[in-house]
Amino acid sequence: MVALGGHAVLVPAYGWRLLRRRERFVADLFGPRAFAFLTLAISSNVLAARFVPAGHTAVAGAFLAFGTLGWVVLDYGIPLVLISC
C-alpha cells in the first residue's frame, strides 16, 4: 500500500526535522509555509478511508482521530497565527 508507505516516511521525516532543525521547523509551522503541514492530516484521512473497507476499523479510527486533530489545529491555527503577526 503506497499511502501507508508514504505516511511511514512522512511522519519520521517531520520528527527528524523537528529534532534537528527546531528553529526552522517552528518558523515554518507559524509562518505561511504552515499549510504544508496539512499533508499529515490529509494522509491520515486517506489512510482512514482505506482501512475502513478492509474491516480495520480500530486502525481507521486512530488515523481518523489524528487527521481530524490535524485539520482542526491547522485549519484554525494557521490563519490565526498569520493574522496576529
Side-chain angles (χ1 to χ4, degrees):
M1 180 183 314
V2 175
L4 189 57
H7 198 272
V9 170
L10 184 66
V11 172
Y14 276 128
W16 177 86
R17 189 166 176 238
L18 176 63
L19 293 174
R20 302 289 290 173
R21 311 255 186 213
R22 184 176 305 266
E23 299 84 23
R24 297 253 349 233
F25 185 87
V26 172
D28 287 346
L29 185 61
F30 292 116
R33 291 183 179 174
F35 290 103
F37 289 94
L38 286 171
T39 55
L40 287 172
I42 294 166
S43 63
S44 296
N45 291 136
V46 166
L47 285 171
R50 174 62 183 97
F51 278 117
V52 168
H56 303 290
T57 55
V59 175
F63 278 116
L64 181 63
F66 184 72
T68 302
L69 179 66
W71 279 110
V72 170
V73 169
L74 294 171
D75 279 351
Y76 289 104
I78 294 171
L80 287 174
V81 168
L82 291 176
I83 63 173
S84 67
C85 292

